[in-house]
Amino acid sequence: MIKKILAYLPALITVMIWGSTFLVSKNVLNSGIQSSTLMFFRFSIAYVLLFFLSKGTISFKFDLKSLRQELLFLLLGLSGGSLYFFLEYTSLKITSAVNVGLISATVPIMSTAISLMLGKIRVGYKYYVGSVFAFLGVVLIVLNGKWQITFSLFGDLLAILSSLLWAIYTVILTILEKKYSEVLISRRLFFYALLTIVGFVIFNADVSEFIALCESSVLFSVLYLSLGASAICIVLWNISINKIGIVKTNNFLFLLPVVTLFCSVLFAIDEISIYSIFGSFLIFIGIYISDCK
């Protein structure tokens, strides 16, 4: 039992931190820092930390095998880094946070579907039953009794693409994790994430953003997002996928609204309602059913 809990611990810690990042990111973006600049800080600081923590190197030769490997790392950097965050931040500006929250909750289902199509995993009927319970729980928490949903075709499409990218990220990870350590893979991820965003930041960054960064609350938030939510959490997430698999790891993403709700209540931003309580209960039941043998 203890061994099983320890195996699930990396995913649980990651989700607890990621669930708080919505509020922290909002604090940074409201200070005047652009989303692209925030991504640049997150990726660069995370890369530097992982550079000093990682042991060994990833060799490269000018042959088809190495080029294929680097292409996978590039896709990893896009799907788990720059392009993913760009689409998510952009969708939040165009469509409602409710829509983005609901669409993001389909990531576990998307990743499982892709893995099933590639023949990488097999799941039983309990997984589908558990996913339905968990998704209904997310719906209750996100909507919180407000049953009217407004649609924005372009914004919702961007949210769907960002969720699909994260699902693709988890699948690509299963290919690379057999060759390198989680820290080395994460370091390479942030290298390509940084490489694909740096040009955009150079041409769009403003001096006022660096002035805003001097504020202690903003600086602490950026460090929290960079060191905790990016560097440490990506490594823990990669470890979790390696230890317990794609399906069980991604099922923890259903807990994100629960953690976000808890943080909102803790900082007096939101209040607990009967919908959020029942929704949280459904999510825990759904994850339990999915994992139950």
Side-chain angles (χ1 to χ4, degrees):
M1 183 65 180
I2 296 176
K3 189 176 180 180
K4 188 175 182 180
I5 292 173
L6 290 175
Y8 289 169
L9 199 57
L12 183 61
I13 293 173
T14 301
V15 168
M16 289 175 67
I17 294 176
W18 279 351
S20 66
T21 57
F22 296 103
L23 303 177
V24 179
S25 297
K26 187 175 181 180
N27 175 52
V28 176
L29 295 173
N30 286 341
S31 70
I33 294 177
Q34 299 180 67
S35 56
S36 57
T37 309
L38 175 58
M39 284 189 284
F40 173 78
F41 285 134
R42 289 185 66 165
F43 300 154
S44 57
I45 295 173
Y47 177 78
V48 171
L49 175 64
L50 294 176
F51 181 83
F52 288 105
L53 290 179
S54 58
K55 295 181 180 180
T57 57
I58 299 175
S59 60
F60 176 78
K61 298 179 181 178
F62 289 96
D63 53 26
L64 289 176
K65 186 178 180 180
S66 292
L67 289 173
R68 176 179 174 273
Q69 175 182 275
E70 290 307 309
L71 178 60
L72 288 175
F73 278 121
L74 173 62
L75 291 174
L76 207 67
L78 290 170
S79 59
S82 56
L83 188 56
Y84 166 76
F85 280 106
F86 175 77
L87 291 176
E88 184 182 76
Y89 287 150
T90 306
S91 65
L92 282 169
K93 293 177 182 178
I94 300 173
T95 189
S96 67
V98 170
N99 292 31
V100 176
L102 291 175
I103 293 170
S104 298
T106 62
V107 169
I109 301 170
M110 285 185 182
S111 62
T112 302
I114 294 172
S115 298
L116 284 171
M117 287 188 291
L118 295 175
K120 287 187 168 293
I121 60 167
R122 292 181 180 180
V123 294
Y125 73 94
K126 288 184 179 180
Y127 166 78
Y128 299 104
V129 175
S131 295
V132 170
F133 272 91
F135 185 74
L136 288 175
V138 172
V139 171
L140 286 176
I141 292 176
V142 173
L143 293 181
N144 197 25
K146 301 172 184 177
W147 307 111
Q148 293 183 348
I149 303 176
T150 57
F151 295 95
S152 170
L153 181 60
F154 184 60
D156 292 345
L157 180 61
L158 291 180
I160 292 171
L161 288 175
S162 69
S163 298
L164 181 60
L165 279 174
W166 186 261
I168 292 172
Y169 162 78
T170 58
V171 176
I172 297 174
L173 194 61
T174 59
I175 301 172
L176 293 168
E177 68 184 3
K178 300 174 183 177
K179 298 180 180 179
Y180 304 105
S181 69
E182 289 83 1
V183 177
L184 272 177
I185 292 173
S186 302
R187 190 184 81 180
R188 201 65 149 210
L189 181 157
F190 286 115
F191 170 76
Y192 279 111
L194 185 60
L195 191 66
T196 51
I197 198 69
V198 66
F200 188 79
V201 174
I202 291 174
F203 289 104
N204 290 276
D206 191 87
V207 178
S208 60
E209 297 179 76
F210 294 93
I211 296 174
L213 189 64
C214 294
E215 296 181 23
S216 58
S217 61
V218 177
L219 180 60
F220 177 78
S221 297
V222 170
L223 290 175
Y224 176 78
L225 293 171
S226 305
L227 302 177
S230 293
I232 295 174
C233 281
I234 283 291
V235 173
L236 290 176
W237 193 253
N238 295 351
I239 291 173
S240 183
I241 289 178
N242 187 26
K243 297 296 183 184
I244 64 176
I246 292 178
V247 176
K248 292 182 179 180
T249 301
N250 277 326
N251 274 346
F252 276 87
L253 293 175
F254 285 124
L255 291 173
L256 284 176
V258 180
V259 178
T260 305
L261 175 67
F262 175 78
C263 292
S264 298
V265 173
L266 185 65
F267 293 102
I269 299 173
D270 206 346
E271 296 181 355
I272 292 180
S273 67
I274 187 64
Y275 299 102
S276 57
I277 294 173
F278 188 55
S280 301
F281 175 75
L282 285 179
I283 289 173
F284 284 112
I285 289 296
I287 293 175
Y288 175 78
I289 293 173
S290 296
D291 191 46
C292 185
K293 294 184 180 180

